[in-house]
Amino acid sequence: MGHWFSRNIVEPGKVPMLLALTSFVLTFLVTRTVTRLIRAGKGPFRNVSSGGLHIHHVVPGVVLTVVGGFGAVASDRYGVGAGVFAVVFGIGAGLVLDEFALILHLDDVYWTDEGRKSVEVVVLTAALVGLALSGFSPLGVNDMTADERQDRTTFILTLVLNFLLVLVTLVKGKVRMAVIGTLIPFVAIVGAVRLARPGSWWFRRFYGRRHRARARCAIRAYRHDKRWTKVRRRVQDVIGGFQERVPGRGAPPS
């Protein structure tokens, strides 16, 4: 295990990425725990206010992200400073993405159904960073041999092909699959060859007069959502605490 860690994490200079990912996940979990305690009226934690203004934790998160990001750019990947700034960046990113839904909707939707987007974005971000940490490269570059990397034509064609697969998957309305497909090309292939989701750009552009295809898209999307939406919401409930009972109503904690 020690040899694997040294060869795959230390030598390539991925220790700052590991520290950033760890601090990111821990910050999100701690933040969710604290906000759930505030919401339930338990523990010593309270909302932060200044002059009657409620301070959301996305505010210090933005500051920490900026400081950590610029500090990491100015630091060496193998130095102590890089590790420190990586932790600062991870903490800031965890605070910011925990309120991603608030930024998206420009409204305090922390405990609403719209607020579930924050949990989904955090989980997806952690998964993508974990894949990159494990050695997956964007658009399938890691699948190429050393000789193929030296061949400029093969290299460019691989990038273009995988980029097109990701793009087709995206315009077919399969955003999660497209994002994951940037690191795992096989996922993008699946999304690119299957039917588009109703309402997507591909659906409107190419299925306008194909009534049978439109019906198949609707049925497939309905079956997919019926099968996986409940599972996804249960996971979000466990992580984000959306279904917990609150003794009294008040301002959503942040």
Side-chain angles (χ1 to χ4, degrees):
M1 181 64 182
H3 176 68
W4 178 90
F5 182 82
S6 176
R7 183 181 62 185
N8 294 279
I9 303 297
V10 177
E11 291 180 6
K14 293 183 178 180
V15 173
M17 182 183 293
L18 176 61
L19 293 174
L21 176 60
T22 303
S23 60
F24 170 77
V25 174
L26 290 178
T27 298
F28 170 74
L29 294 176
V30 170
T31 302
R32 278 284 160 175
T33 300
V34 171
T35 54
R36 290 161 79 168
L37 290 174
I38 295 175
R39 188 187 189 205
K42 300 178 181 179
F45 306 105
R46 296 293 182 271
N47 292 330
V48 178
S49 301
S50 178
L53 177 65
H54 178 63
I55 307 298
H56 291 271
H57 52 263
V58 67
V59 177
V62 169
V63 175
L64 292 175
T65 302
V66 171
V67 172
F70 278 108
V73 170
S75 302
D76 181 22
R77 287 191 302 170
Y78 298 91
V80 176
V84 173
F85 284 118
V87 171
V88 173
F89 176 81
I91 294 173
L95 293 173
V96 170
L97 292 189
D98 184 54
E99 293 203 309
F100 171 82
L102 181 149
I103 301 173
L104 179 64
H105 294 278
L106 293 179
D107 192 12
D108 197 347
V109 294
Y110 195 82
W111 293 116
T112 66
D113 281 341
E114 289 81 2
R116 295 174 181 274
K117 292 185 178 67
S118 296
V119 177
E120 188 171 346
V121 167
V122 167
V123 172
L124 185 60
T125 301
L128 291 176
V129 176
L131 288 173
L133 190 64
S134 302
F136 288 86
S137 299
L139 301 179
V141 177
N142 59 297
D143 295 330
M144 302 177 64
T145 64
D147 293 336
E148 288 175 333
R149 290 193 184 97
Q150 293 296 325
D151 187 345
R152 182 173 299 180
T153 302
T154 303
F155 181 77
I156 293 176
L157 286 176
T158 300
L159 285 178
V160 171
L161 176 60
N162 287 326
F163 174 77
L164 290 176
L165 291 173
V166 170
L167 182 62
V168 171
T169 302
L170 182 64
V171 298
K172 282 190 171 183
K174 304 170 184 180
V175 179
R176 301 182 192 89
M177 191 174 292
V179 173
I180 297 176
T182 59
L183 294 177
I184 309 178
F186 179 73
V187 175
I189 293 174
V190 175
V193 299
R194 292 175 68 86
L195 290 170
R197 285 190 63 87
S200 65
W201 180 88
W202 190 282
F203 180 87
R204 297 192 303 270
R205 178 66 177 80
F206 295 103
Y207 299 161
R209 298 181 179 180
R210 298 172 57 188
H211 301 293
R212 181 174 298 181
R214 293 171 67 92
R216 289 174 58 198
C217 289
I219 293 173
R220 180 166 294 179
Y222 170 78
R223 290 175 177 173
H224 177 274
D225 294 342
K226 183 179 180 181
R227 179 185 306 161
W228 293 107
T229 298
K230 289 183 179 180
V231 176
R232 187 170 66 248
R233 290 175 70 90
R234 286 175 183 172
V235 173
Q236 293 170 350
D237 289 344
V238 172
I239 298 176
F242 291 99
Q243 297 298 321
E244 294 175 351
R245 294 184 177 181
V246 185
R249 293 184 178 273
S254 302

